Amino acid sequence: MDKVEKWGVFEWSGKGYGEGNPFVDYDIEATFKGENEEKTVKGFYDGEGVYRVRFMPSHEGKYEFVVSGSFSKEKYEGSFEVTAPSGNNRGPVRVCDKYHFCYADKTPYYSIGTTCYVWELRSDELIEKTFQSLEDAGFNKIRFCIFPKHYDYNLGEPRSYPYVGTPMDSSKLTKDNFWDYTDKTEGNDWDFFRFNPEHFSHIEKCIARLAKMGIEADIIVFHPYDRWGFSQMSRDQDDFYIRYLISRLAAYRNVWWSMANEYDIFPHKNIEDWDHIGNLFKEEDPYDHLRSIHNCIDFFDHKKKTWITHCSIQRQDLYRTAEYTDEWREEFQKPVVLDEIAYEGNIQHGWGNIKGEEMVRRFCEGIFRGGYPGHGETFLNKDDILWWSHGGELHGESWKRVKFLLGIMKETPGAGLKRDKSDRRCWDCLKAVPEDDALYEKTGYQIYYYSFMCPSFREFFMEDGIDYKAEIIDTWNMTIEDAGVHSGRFKIELPGRQFMAIRLQKILK
């Protein structure tokens, strides 16, 4: 009997009709039944007469299934055994405790992501470098697109396209004229009802490898940086694409859905269109993966839209974004993921030339206010291979601090942190405590972050008779120094430099 892990991918494949347009003309679905769940999922055509159905089981034990549809005169049956999860397999990430995330097995998940828009559409060599960089940095989420990207530093062609057809002639593109071809369709010839299975098969392999590494795949479904016409498809074409995407990718436990990158600068879609798209994912994804929509300037109504599970935010202010995290939590009542807080780099664009120290400061501001910041990097090089879009090698300094900051987040009691505004002695710093008030009371866990300020000491006023372990955290130099045990009123000496924090927690007896 075939075996698959809980939250793994079971796949059935078989031959069927290949005449006409099999993507449109035939359908396939399967019903999977175990002792604790029964689910019917849609399959897909994968080219050369092959049809597939994928299923992610949520329980251990024996499952039986029946495959049916117009793709074949036959009805297929079978069974398989679901074993315990192993390695990095903790199941899909869900929202928990309102503002935070956890895996399906209830282990807290602390998002520390990065953006590489079309890394998976580059050469095999560059993709391997990206995987190694992800491993070295310790990121646990990566944002990327299904469609290729047309923008500055993105004038070449991708390794493949999602549809059968031919693209416009890109040899005429230059850094000076690429805007003239943005959002244009002339010269392209696509059949939007006939997919290129090799394009999706390659992306699937990348997603599966990310899952083994414990990295979430935050998939950007649509984006406006387009010269191929993919951002101008009709609603029927959009829906056809979305359903195909769900049937191919939803069974992977590490998938998140981002409806759009910068939804508010699409010339051909309005709010009603995005609501339709978001609700379609909510209704048709059998596993209810996380869903978001990302802005350029104007926020979507994250609170009122039930299809949105968490906020995916790009900064709205030239200087501040992470500083608004606690306000957005209160406004939207959902987890706040700061997917773009600007990029460490040196390109001319203001969104892509902050220093590593500033990136790490923004990370800390977001973390200690109860949010989840995202990384990005845009350093110039002679081949125009910038991490933000193409992946490859990391050249900055902020990525080196990611594992350290993630380690601090993982030491949080409970699901995550929040800002404590009630302590008036902290008007000049940022105080973070566990989201769960009962855990805060029990553990006394608290972090005081001083950002760009440089105090040489700080005084504290705690309860008499209760001992607190004190530690000095240097978020830039990645050190944690034991500062002794204290109670009542006490003073902690600091080095008088930026990016320092003090962590206190009760010594439980």
Side-chain angles (χ1 to χ4, degrees):
M1 182 181 294
D2 291 335
K3 293 184 178 181
V4 63
E5 286 188 7
K6 179 181 179 180
W7 302 309
V9 178
F10 175 81
E11 180 179 294
W12 179 92
S13 64
K15 286 287 188 175
Y17 299 122
E19 300 82 8
N21 181 358
F23 296 102
V24 175
D25 297 338
Y26 310 108
D27 60 62
I28 178 174
E29 69 176 26
T31 298
F32 295 85
K33 186 176 183 179
E35 183 179 352
N36 297 296
E37 71 172 333
E38 181 175 341
K39 199 179 292 290
T40 298
V41 300
K42 296 177 181 178
F44 60 93
Y45 181 64
D46 202 25
E48 299 183 352
V50 176
Y51 291 79
R52 304 184 192 276
V53 183
R54 291 177 177 150
F55 173 65
M56 179 180 68
S58 299
H59 300 273
E60 296 176 36
K62 183 180 177 181
Y63 279 74
E64 295 179 340
F65 65 91
V66 177
V67 181
S68 60
S70 63
F71 79 101
S72 172
K73 292 181 180 179
E74 303 294 327
K75 181 181 288 187
Y76 299 90
E77 299 180 358
S79 62
F80 58 94
E81 186 75 19
V82 179
T83 61
S86 63
N88 287 315
N89 181 2
R90 299 182 180 89
V93 173
R94 309 294 191 199
V95 173
C96 64
D97 211 358
K98 185 182 283 189
Y99 302 108
H100 303 287
F101 302 102
C102 59
Y103 294 99
D105 71 355
K106 306 305 181 184
T107 302
Y109 168 78
Y110 308 98
S111 178
I112 293 285
T114 190
T115 293
C116 293
Y117 286 119
V118 287
W119 69 279
E120 88 286 13
L121 301 184
R122 314 313 302 169
S123 67
D124 288 345
E125 179 183 5
L126 197 59
I127 288 171
E128 285 303 315
K129 289 182 180 179
T130 304
F131 276 120
Q132 185 59 58
S133 294
L134 291 170
E135 184 74 30
D136 292 343
F139 295 115
N140 60 17
K141 183 171 83 77
I142 181 171
R143 301 172 65 229
F144 61 96
C145 306
I146 298 295
F147 293 135
K149 181 171 183 174
H150 168 78
Y151 195 70
D152 202 2
Y153 311 107
N154 289 266
L155 306 184
E157 298 296 336
R159 66 186 291 150
S160 62
Y161 300 94
Y163 296 99
V164 172
T166 55
M168 63 159 285
D169 178 13
S170 62
S171 65
K172 62 184 72 174
L173 298 177
T174 68
K175 287 181 175 293
D176 295 323
N177 71 9
F178 77 91
W179 277 118
D180 297 336
Y181 294 89
T182 301
D183 195 45
K184 302 296 190 298
T185 62
E186 292 81 3
N188 296 291
D189 183 17
W190 304 111
D191 184 343
F192 289 117
F193 290 96
R194 194 180 292 270
F195 296 105
N196 172 17
E198 290 183 3
H199 180 83
F200 294 91
S201 177
H202 167 71
I203 293 175
E204 291 162 1
K205 292 174 183 176
C206 292
I207 292 172
R209 186 166 170 184
L210 289 171
K212 289 183 179 180
M213 297 170 66
I215 300 173
E216 302 299 298
D218 195 353
I219 295 171
I220 298 169
V221 180
F222 294 100
H223 70 81
Y225 301 106
D226 174 43
R227 65 172 181 261
W228 301 277
F230 303 141
S231 63
Q232 295 189 39
M233 297 189 299
S234 68
R235 175 166 290 189
D236 286 346
Q237 292 165 346
D238 285 348
D239 291 357
F240 191 66
Y241 157 63
I242 289 167
R243 290 189 170 102
Y244 190 72
L245 204 60
I246 291 172
S247 66
R248 291 201 70 129
L249 303 185
Y252 293 94
R253 63 180 175 271
N254 61 325
V255 161
W256 300 21
W257 306 119
S258 177
M259 304 306 117
N261 191 62
E262 302 183 347
Y263 82 91
D264 48 322
I265 60 172
F266 273 76
H268 310 284
K269 283 184 171 58
N270 56 34
I271 297 298
E272 195 275 331
D273 292 321
W274 293 120
D275 272 337
H276 171 80
I277 290 168
N279 281 312
L280 186 60
F281 271 98
K282 182 181 179 182
E283 293 164 4
E284 304 237 350
D285 177 2
Y287 310 104
D288 199 29
H289 288 292
L290 294 174
R291 299 175 298 270
S292 67
I293 188 165
H294 176 262
N295 66 293
C296 180
I297 303 297
D298 297 326
F299 284 175
F300 216 82
D301 189 347
H302 299 293
K303 183 176 182 179
K304 290 185 178 179
K305 305 299 183 180
T306 59
W307 59 262
I308 297 177
T309 59
H310 65 282
C311 308
S312 173
I313 286 177
Q314 178 171 192
R315 65 175 183 160
Q316 291 187 310
D317 184 274
L318 183 60
Y319 302 106
R320 297 187 298 171
T321 287
E323 291 85 348
Y324 291 124
T325 301
D326 43 316
E327 296 177 25
W328 290 329
R329 280 170 36 114
E330 293 177 11
E331 179 180 356
F332 299 126
Q333 298 290 298
K334 290 177 180 178
V336 173
V337 181
L338 304 166
D339 278 316
E340 284 192 65
I341 50 177
Y343 295 85
E344 180 185 3
N346 58 4
I347 61 175
Q348 67 163 327
H349 308 298
W351 49 263
N353 52 33
I354 65 172
K355 295 186 67 175
E357 291 92 338
E358 176 60 12
M359 175 67 81
V360 173
R361 188 196 70 80
R362 295 182 185 195
F363 257 68
C364 292
E365 289 281 354
I367 290 169
F368 298 139
R369 294 173 188 268
Y372 297 95
H375 161 275
E377 187 182 290
T378 47
F379 283 99
L380 290 169
N381 64 73
K382 62 182 178 61
D383 298 316
D384 279 355
I385 299 175
L386 283 65
W387 173 267
W388 133 91
S389 194
H390 308 296
E393 297 178 353
L394 288 157
H395 302 283
E397 292 296 325
S398 60
W399 69 267
K400 300 173 185 177
R401 278 79 188 168
V402 166
K403 281 184 179 179
F404 177 76
L405 295 174
L406 182 57
I408 292 174
M409 296 171 77
K410 287 182 175 181
E411 292 171 350
T412 301
L417 293 167
K418 66 179 177 181
R419 183 184 181 186
D420 180 6
K421 298 181 180 179
S422 65
D423 191 341
R424 294 189 176 184
R425 292 192 178 96
C426 295
W427 67 270
D428 60 348
C429 70
L430 180 58
K431 179 183 177 182
V433 299
E435 187 72 54
D436 187 323
D437 292 336
L439 276 175
Y440 175 37
E441 176 66 25
K442 176 182 178 181
T443 65
Y445 189 95
Q446 48 206 289
I447 296 178
Y448 300 80
Y449 179 60
Y450 304 108
S451 189
F452 48 75
M453 294 171 285
C454 304
S456 59
F457 70 91
R458 290 290 293 201
E459 289 186 330
F460 295 89
F461 302 83
M462 299 297 170
E463 308 97 319
D464 290 323
I466 298 179
D467 291 334
Y468 282 83
K469 176 184 177 182
E471 295 170 301
I472 300 171
I473 301 174
D474 187 329
T475 64
W476 180 252
N477 291 312
M478 298 178 285
T479 60
I480 300 177
E481 176 187 344
D482 187 347
V485 176
H486 308 270
S487 66
R489 179 176 178 175
F490 57 91
K491 181 169 71 173
I492 301 294
E493 301 287 345
L494 290 168
R497 59 174 178 262
Q498 294 180 320
F499 317 130
M500 305 300 296
I502 293 174
R503 179 165 60 183
L504 303 177
Q505 50 192 318
K506 290 180 182 178
I507 298 177
L508 302 178
K509 299 176 182 179

